[in-house]
Amino acid sequence: MQGPWEDRDGVLRYRTRSGVELYRLPTRLFPELDGYVYLILTDSHRVLVDAGSGLPESWEDLQRGLEIVRARYGRPVDLPDLTAILITHGHIDHFGGLTFVRQRSPAPVFVHELDRRVLVNYPERLITVARELRHFLSQAGASPERQAALLDLYLSMKTMFQSTSVEGLLAEGELLFGIFRVHHTPGHCPGQVCLQIDEVLLTSDHILAHTTPHQAPERITRYTGLGHYLESLRRVAAIPDIALAFGGHEDPILNLYERIAAIETFHHQRLERVLEICQEPRTIMEISRTLFGRQYGYGVLLALLEAGAHVEYLYDRGYLQVANLDQLEKEPEAPIRYRRL
Ligand SMILES: [Zn+2]
Ligand SMILES: [Zn+2]
């Protein structure tokens, strides 16, 4: 993709209005997921934004990216020289690499306070979310066998990360180091932040160029959910004069405001579609199947959560009602059937 940046060996460099240098380093995060770590350089700061996934391949890619910054761009920077590490949100593909990076770098780690717990107490986070997830899956209509299989898959990530300390917080509205304006944009993740550097916005997973970022119901994790997400889109749409946005995955975004409008339209169409499906009483499992077709492995969980987020949004606002109240009164754990009001 062409744009107002340089590309040397796959590492993009962009210089912002005030002369801040931004480097985008590509990494393979998981076998089927690519993304980026960003390096921000000024005269006095060398800041890493996100750290990769923590899989060996991601770590090798990060080191290769830094090597390209040194060899092809002539900037003598390495992990021990970093002045700070900022984590854009508490998802493993963005912070898992801290396990490696912190062995080489004494730099303080910053994250939004709503995602701090994930980094400092990772096993607790997984186990408590798994409890909420079990309840959600049961009410969504997943069979006990399917619930067990999906929870096993979810908890298998437990060994991927060793909890770490957090030295600083990314607070809404602050101008960190005189470089990064912090915008708190909860929805995709409770502590999701977008970081503004002059006319550039690092949108992380809040806004991506091609896919609409994954949603999950707020009943599983507070400050997520489609309601928060759409509000956070409006918040970013109100930031003036963003000329270029870089996401945690996918291409740079040359017209952020158009991209936000497209994502909003997408969700409103999906909400309409859920209402259509619920002309007849439906469980979240059935809605997910109609929306996304047959899914496999982790895809089943992602589809159920995405469907659940849209159902929750409509139910909370009184567009859906529970169709099997009598049954729920007798069997509180029975799957809920939703009908359009
Ligand atoms: Zn994410
Ligand atoms: Zn991500």
Side-chain angles (χ1 to χ4, degrees), residues 161-309:
F161 184 69
Q162 301 267 314
S163 298
T164 188
S165 59
V166 166
E167 285 71 34
L169 295 177
L170 300 172
E172 162 63 27
E174 84 170 308
L175 186 63
L176 188 68
F177 312 135
I179 304 171
F180 302 91
R181 179 71 66 191
V182 178
H183 300 279
H184 181 216
T185 51
H188 172 75
C189 195
Q192 174 76 68
V193 294
C194 294
L195 299 168
Q196 183 182 358
I197 311 166
D198 297 325
E199 75 280 22
V200 173
L201 192 67
L202 299 178
T203 54
S204 180
D205 286 3
H206 181 48
I207 300 164
L208 298 173
H210 306 297
T211 45
T212 52
H214 175 65
Q215 304 297 320
E218 184 171 19
R219 55 165 295 182
I220 296 172
T221 304
R222 285 185 294 279
Y223 289 94
T224 64
L226 191 58
H228 287 293
Y229 179 72
L230 292 174
E231 275 172 26
S232 294
L233 283 183
R234 285 285 94 211
R235 199 171 299 170
V236 174
I239 305 171
D241 305 323
I242 299 295
L244 183 59
F246 290 100
H249 312 266
E250 304 182 357
D251 289 325
I253 303 168
L254 291 165
N255 190 328
L256 181 66
Y257 306 101
E258 266 177 23
R259 181 62 193 138
I260 290 172
I263 293 174
E264 287 173 331
T265 302
F266 176 90
H267 283 298
H268 287 120
Q269 286 171 348
R270 180 162 281 172
L271 290 166
E272 275 301 321
R273 181 84 183 96
V274 171
L275 286 176
E276 271 169 38
I277 295 168
C278 293
Q279 298 285 8
E280 297 297 322
R282 294 280 182 252
T283 64
I284 289 175
M285 191 83 183
E286 291 164 346
I287 297 165
S288 166
R289 189 70 185 266
T290 309
L291 283 174
F292 304 111
R294 194 177 181 81
Q295 298 286 319
Y296 298 91
Y298 211 68
V300 177
L301 186 59
L302 293 178
L304 278 169
L305 292 170
E306 182 80 23

